[in-house]
Amino acid sequence: MAFKLNFKQKLLIRASITLALALVLAATLVFSPERVSGRQNAYAWLEGRLADEAARVEIRGEEEITLARRDGGWFVENSGKEYPAKPDMVEDLFTALTARGAYAPRGSAASLHESLALTDEAASRITVSGGPGGAAFLTLLVGSSDATGREVYYRKAGQDEIRSGDDTIAAFLSYSRPSWYDLKIFPDSGSLDTGQVYRITVIAPPPGEGADSAVGEKTPGPLVILRTGEGWTVEGLSPDETDAGRVETFIRQVLDASADDYVPEMSAGEAVFNEGRILIEFSGLPARTIRLGPPLSFNEEDGSVTRRSAVRNDSPYVFALSSWNLARLFRDREYFKRP
């Protein structure tokens, strides 16, 4: 006598078969060689909580860079002084160190360290420290690239295990000190609007021997730009001659200006910053002044100034401005004429 299944029994059997197939498929995926390898390769060099506690970073690559956290911000140490660091760049470094990436194990024999430039003496390194005692959370040794040039060998100091991965972390070893600096002359420039400016006075460096090639003798006497109602006037130009768009662009360039470097050898309190200035007067805000000091370097061919020192009236830092920067900040009166 044939045994017949009712509808519910058929449905139960089909569901059981489907579940069994799903479990087999899941096991195949979970334990596949590619996934097992992926889990082994996924690795983070630094715990996120330790990044939050970090107070100091020492980078020993093409240059020796030291970053220190002070009052919630990061600074670059140089010649016994501290200069603001770019917040985004420091954040990118910690993101690279804490993110789980593909860092495949390549061996754990100490004998391999020398051939991969991972010995304590040969390797570049990034050391992150902090906590109450300033202990090192991580000293990451960075060695040579692999044969393809696409991956770099890494290991933690005190451990023999070698891993390799992309050069995202290694790239931070090649950045120069100025690359780490936040060189904005006005750090709050993002909150400053050209509409808040009612007058800007520009006095170029004096002409003569060794004058700035981009600036000297362009505009004798002060260049005064004044807001009048909804527009602008440039002293020496009639309203019909004045290009208001260029005035707006120029003022934005001044507010957003960045230096090329800091000058640790000089002090902002020295009485030498009197070789030209830009005075910006605001509605409802204190005035700000950029004052130029002595030249820092000259063109060997014609003796013109290629870099000049500068200070801001409310800043302890001495900036270095290139001739390109000086040309943007010290415009000729003719620049504001309508084409």
Side-chain angles (χ1 to χ4, degrees):
M1 180 177 177
F3 180 73
K4 291 186 178 180
L5 298 174
N6 60 33
F7 176 77
K8 287 185 177 181
Q9 290 172 323
K10 291 179 180 179
L11 190 61
L12 181 60
I13 291 173
R14 288 177 181 174
S16 300
I17 294 172
T18 301
L19 178 60
L21 291 174
L23 291 173
V24 171
L25 178 61
T28 301
L29 292 174
V30 170
F31 296 104
S32 68
E34 293 81 4
R35 286 184 173 268
V36 171
S37 175
R39 287 196 299 275
Q40 289 176 341
N41 295 350
Y43 190 80
W45 296 102
L46 182 68
E47 294 181 44
R49 65 176 183 84
L50 295 179
D52 295 336
E53 297 175 19
R56 193 174 182 84
V57 179
E58 296 177 11
I59 300 170
R60 301 295 179 263
E62 294 184 13
E63 289 188 56
E64 294 190 359
I65 311 294
T66 299
L67 309 173
R69 196 201 293 264
R70 300 277 185 271
D71 301 321
W74 284 93
F75 294 82
V76 182
E77 295 182 355
N78 186 11
S79 302
K81 299 180 180 179
E82 293 182 344
Y83 298 94
K86 290 177 182 173
D88 291 348
M89 195 158 172
V90 177
E91 183 179 347
D92 288 346
L93 172 61
F94 279 111
T95 296
L97 292 173
T98 58
R100 292 183 68 81
Y103 295 100
R106 298 304 184 190
S108 57
S111 58
L112 295 173
H113 295 173
E114 185 173 358
S115 63
L116 301 178
L118 281 174
T119 62
D120 290 340
E121 296 77 21
S124 299
R125 66 188 60 213
I126 298 173
T127 302
V128 181
S129 57
F137 297 147
L138 168 71
T139 297
L140 178 61
L141 303 182
V142 183
S144 59
S145 299
D146 69 0
T148 68
R150 292 193 295 266
E151 293 196 345
V152 177
Y153 294 106
Y154 302 91
R155 77 176 176 93
K156 287 184 177 181
Q159 298 183 13
D160 290 334
E161 183 187 53
I162 300 165
R163 288 178 177 263
S164 70
D166 66 35
D167 64 353
T168 300
I169 295 174
F172 287 95
L173 296 163
S174 63
Y175 294 138
S176 66
R177 184 174 285 105
S179 300
W180 289 95
Y181 286 146
D182 185 347
L183 288 160
K184 289 181 181 178
I185 296 179
F186 301 111
D188 60 345
S189 61
S191 65
L192 298 175
D193 189 86
T194 57
Q196 297 170 291
V197 177
Y198 77 86
R199 181 163 55 202
I200 182 166
T201 304
V202 180
I203 301 176
E209 185 177 355
D212 303 66
S213 59
V215 179
E217 301 188 40
K218 280 189 171 183
T219 302
L223 171 67
V224 180
I225 302 172
L226 179 67
R227 181 179 294 279
T228 55
E230 297 299 319
W232 296 95
T233 61
V234 176
E235 193 173 278
L237 299 180
S238 69
D240 290 340
E241 290 180 299
T242 303
D243 188 328
R246 284 202 163 190
V247 173
E248 289 279 342
T249 299
F250 169 69
I251 294 175
R252 189 71 258 169
Q253 286 176 343
V254 173
L255 297 179
D256 291 341
S258 291
D260 300 277
D261 204 345
Y262 289 108
V263 188
E265 300 83 10
M266 299 182 72
S267 170
E270 296 178 39
V272 295
F273 296 98
N274 53 9
E275 300 192 18
R277 70 178 185 272
I278 299 175
L279 171 64
I280 311 166
E281 297 173 86
F282 298 86
S283 298
L285 293 173
R288 306 194 184 186
T289 307
I290 301 171
R291 292 183 289 120
L292 297 184
L296 298 170
S297 60
F298 299 88
N299 186 303
E300 293 183 359
E301 294 182 2
D302 60 13
S304 62
V305 175
T306 54
R307 288 207 318 166
R308 187 180 279 276
S309 57
V311 294
R312 195 184 77 228
N313 63 306
D314 58 348
S315 169
Y317 308 117
V318 178
F319 302 97
L321 298 178
S322 67
S323 57
W324 179 85
N325 249 328
L326 290 165
R328 285 163 56 88
L329 296 176
F330 291 85
R331 290 291 189 182
D332 189 308
R333 182 177 287 110
E334 296 298 310
Y335 171 80
F336 301 101
K337 270 190 175 183
R338 290 182 184 273

